[in-house]
Amino acid sequence: MQSIYKPLAAAVTLALCSGAYAAEQERYIVKFKEGKGPSVMAQLKSQGGKMALDLSSHNAAAFTLPAKALKGLENNPNVEYVEVDAKRYPLGQVVPYGIPMVQADLLSDAATSNTTVCIIDSGYELAHEDLAGNQVTGTNDAGTGNWFTDENHHGTHVAGTIAALNNNTGVVGVNPNGNLNLHIIKVFNADGWGYSSSLVSALNKCEQAGAKVINMSLGGSRSSRTEDSAFAAAESRGVLSIAAAGNDGNTRHSYPASYNSVVSVAAIDSNKVVADFSQKTSQVELSGPGVGVLSSVPTGTALVASTTVAGTGYEAIGMEGSPTGDASGMLADCGTGETACNANGQVCLIQRGVISFAEKVQACENGGGVAAIIYNNVSGALNGTMGGVATSIPSVGVSDVDGAAMLAQVGSNASVSIGAGNYAYFDGTSMATPHVAGVAALVWSHFPQCSNTQIRAALRATAEDLGVAGRDDSYGYGLVKAKDAVDYLTTYGCDGQSSGGGNTGGTCKGRNCK
């Protein structure tokens, strides 16, 4: 039994720089060559420049510059470099894309105090700034340590998607107002695995804690008759169990997701396209956001990355396993990084492909590079990992589009910065599952009179159909939709209807359909 998330996961968190800065900004930082500051400052003032901030201890100053003065600096032998004085903002709260995608922001979670979600995972960092105010209890499991710590990071990320607080900090979850009851069962050790017998035991403890919904962002390829029987019995007692479909990108079943009594959840991206790693089986029932999902991780364990090239800031994702630190230098084109790049004192720009990310970073190091920026060779952001290989320079991933823009700026000054943070982007059906579990709890709180099977049917009947028409093995019945499910139950009651309703376009896909 393993946690179902992509190991590419532990990456960028609430980066200070997001997107490109406008080219017409007029405030710049000018770095002088040693001893040349006074003469350059006098020249800039004569050309209409206004000093905004003296940084003499760094041999630099911030200036508001007219275009003519800026142009003159390009070839000034007394200037080391000029860069945009990039804006910085308070790190406020972010709404991850999956929250509005599943319509969680369209419903009140005030009534979720009547609902308990049990999270069977690697624990829960009770002290986390975005989780500490929740109604949460837990049960220690032999051999895995305290439920209120999380050495694996996974369970805290899952919990944040379900219930990160609306507190002007970090992110928000599907149920963000601290009303939902959570119960935590820690079944994973620090290595990230546990036994099926532990899962059955955890299921019993969830029921003892009064859980109506169980989130299992975990699984394995081998079925268990004991597990199957236990989840079927739990369903008959009113429990709604939800699990990750698996991350092998094939058609093999994963368990417990593929038991009939458990909802199997596939992962889609922000464009509602199934993830290439998401398993595609006849048991896939619903889909949830599972690519680049931003959520909480144990405090200080995430990588906060920022990258600037030629004064333009780009969204970057720290490579899992990268050391923290700051580095800057001229940007060098290192191709695909298959050989040592002649980049002494420079920042290496490397395209994804052919060899591992770690090998690319090592090639940069061997050529004297001070940092590595790896850009994607397919659409979208690059969320990569060193795969356990130790490197000594900060390394980040950026999108294909941003990489192309940087390629046009080779020879310009570039900087890479990586620090510690409390939030990270993870990929996996593990990340999709808590979206569905959170929605199930939210919808059920509005209709506590409905049974677990009726809530399950409503979620199926109102899922947004994706892929080929009707249910398919990639998306199941489609993307889970909270408000549509509530509207459906409001109109048709717990028993639903035999045709139409919700987002089905007149074709019923629910359990109660004929």
Side-chain angles (χ1 to χ4, degrees):
M1 178 179 65
Q2 295 178 317
S3 54
I4 305 298
Y5 82 113
K6 295 287 280 181
L8 301 180
V12 92
T13 68
L14 301 180
L16 289 172
C17 299
S18 180
Y21 295 107
E24 66 270 14
Q25 289 190 41
E26 297 180 351
R27 182 160 156 163
Y28 300 86
I29 297 175
V30 182
K31 179 72 162 62
F32 315 117
K33 291 191 175 176
E34 191 66 35
K36 302 300 182 181
S39 62
V40 175
M41 286 192 284
Q43 178 184 345
L44 290 176
K45 289 176 182 177
S46 70
Q47 294 174 343
K50 295 181 179 180
M51 188 170 70
L53 189 62
D54 186 359
L55 301 172
S56 55
S57 62
H58 298 277
N59 211 21
F63 274 87
T64 299
L65 299 174
K68 182 178 179 181
L70 180 63
K71 184 72 175 176
L73 287 173
E74 291 181 358
N75 300 308
N76 191 319
N78 296 322
V79 173
E80 188 172 322
Y81 64 81
V82 180
E83 65 179 351
V84 169
D85 195 357
K87 292 182 179 180
R88 296 294 186 254
Y89 304 91
L91 286 184
Q93 188 168 269
V94 173
V95 178
Y97 78 89
I99 302 304
M101 184 179 284
V102 300
Q103 300 180 327
D105 58 332
L106 300 181
L107 292 175
S108 168
D109 65 344
T112 53
S113 58
N114 63 24
T115 305
T116 297
V117 174
C118 190
I119 302 174
I120 303 176
D121 214 291
S122 64
Y124 178 105
E125 193 193 41
L126 188 61
H128 194 284
E129 60 188 358
D130 235 356
L131 299 174
N134 275 316
Q135 306 298 318
V136 57
T137 57
T139 305
N140 289 333
D141 191 71
T144 61
N146 294 320
W147 66 265
F148 48 83
T149 64
D150 182 8
E151 293 74 23
N152 188 263
H153 304 178
H154 189 269
T156 298
H157 197 278
V158 166
T161 294
I162 293 173
L165 296 168
N166 183 12
N167 57 1
N168 297 317
T169 299
V171 296
V172 295
V174 173
N175 300 274
N177 293 309
N179 298 311
L180 180 67
N181 300 304
L182 299 176
H183 191 78
I184 311 301
I185 307 291
K186 186 173 183 176
V187 295
F188 294 141
N189 55 27
D191 295 328
W193 61 270
Y195 290 101
S196 60
S197 57
S198 299
L199 184 56
V200 172
S201 175
L203 171 63
N204 295 339
K205 294 169 184 174
C206 287
E207 286 198 78
Q208 291 166 11
K212 300 175 73 173
V213 177
I214 298 178
N215 186 98
M216 294 171 289
S217 293
L218 50 83
S221 60
R222 192 168 186 169
S223 65
S224 161
R225 287 186 293 176
T226 304
E227 270 186 353
D228 192 4
S229 175
F231 281 105
E235 183 184 40
S236 71
R237 292 190 292 268
V239 174
L240 180 54
S241 299
I242 300 170
N247 289 344
D248 290 339
N250 55 29
T251 58
R252 187 172 59 201
H253 288 293
S254 179
Y255 301 92
S258 291
Y259 300 132
N260 289 334
S261 56
V262 178
V263 177
S264 177
V265 181
I268 60 175
D269 63 19
S270 59
N271 295 314
K272 301 180 182 178
V273 176
V274 67
D276 58 359
F277 56 78
S278 188
Q279 278 166 247
K280 303 161 182 66
T281 77
S282 59
Q283 289 289 335
V284 171
E285 188 165 335
L286 292 169
S287 299
V291 179
V293 175
L294 181 62
S295 188
S296 48
V297 293
T299 303
T301 62
L303 297 179
V304 180
S306 62
T307 298
T308 302
V309 176
T312 297
Y314 296 90
E315 185 174 328
I317 300 178
M319 292 275 173
E320 181 185 9
S322 168
T324 58
D326 304 312
S328 61
M330 304 301 286
L331 188 67
D333 180 8
C334 293
T336 55
E338 295 169 64
T339 57
C341 184
N342 184 18
N344 190 40
Q346 300 182 72
V347 174
C348 301
L349 180 63
I350 310 171
Q351 186 180 38
R352 179 183 185 179
V354 185
I355 59 176
S356 71
F357 299 132
E359 290 172 307
K360 293 175 186 291
V361 174
Q362 288 175 326
C364 176
E365 288 179 318
N366 293 337
V370 296
I373 303 172
I374 303 176
Y375 63 97
N376 217 341
N377 58 3
V378 295
S379 178
L382 177 56
N383 185 357
T385 177
M386 292 296 97
V389 176
T391 56
S392 60
I393 60 175
S395 53
V396 300
V398 299
S399 71
D400 55 323
V401 173
D402 287 347
M406 292 180 188
L407 197 59
Q409 297 293 332
V410 166
S412 302
N413 191 69
S415 64
V416 173
S417 177
I418 300 180
N422 307 335
Y423 303 86
Y425 291 99
F426 281 9
D427 297 335
T429 52
S430 272
M431 286 58 255
T433 303
H435 282 93
V436 175
V439 165
L442 180 59
V443 172
W444 207 345
S445 73
H446 285 260
F447 295 91
Q449 70 275 22
C450 295
S451 70
N452 56 333
T453 56
Q454 289 169 330
I455 294 297
R456 183 176 181 178
L459 297 179
R460 290 170 57 163
T462 56
E464 180 182 347
D465 195 5
L466 301 171
V468 299
R471 192 216 158 268
D472 59 74
D473 290 356
S474 294
Y475 300 92
Y477 290 93
L479 171 63
V480 69
K481 292 283 190 175
K483 187 175 185 302
D484 288 349
V486 166
D487 290 346
Y488 175 86
L489 291 167
T490 299
T491 301
Y492 302 108
C494 293
D495 286 332
Q497 57 157 3
S498 59
S499 63
N503 289 331
T504 60
T507 303
C508 183
K509 299 179 293 182
R511 242 185 175 185
N512 296 317
C513 303
K514 304 297 183 184

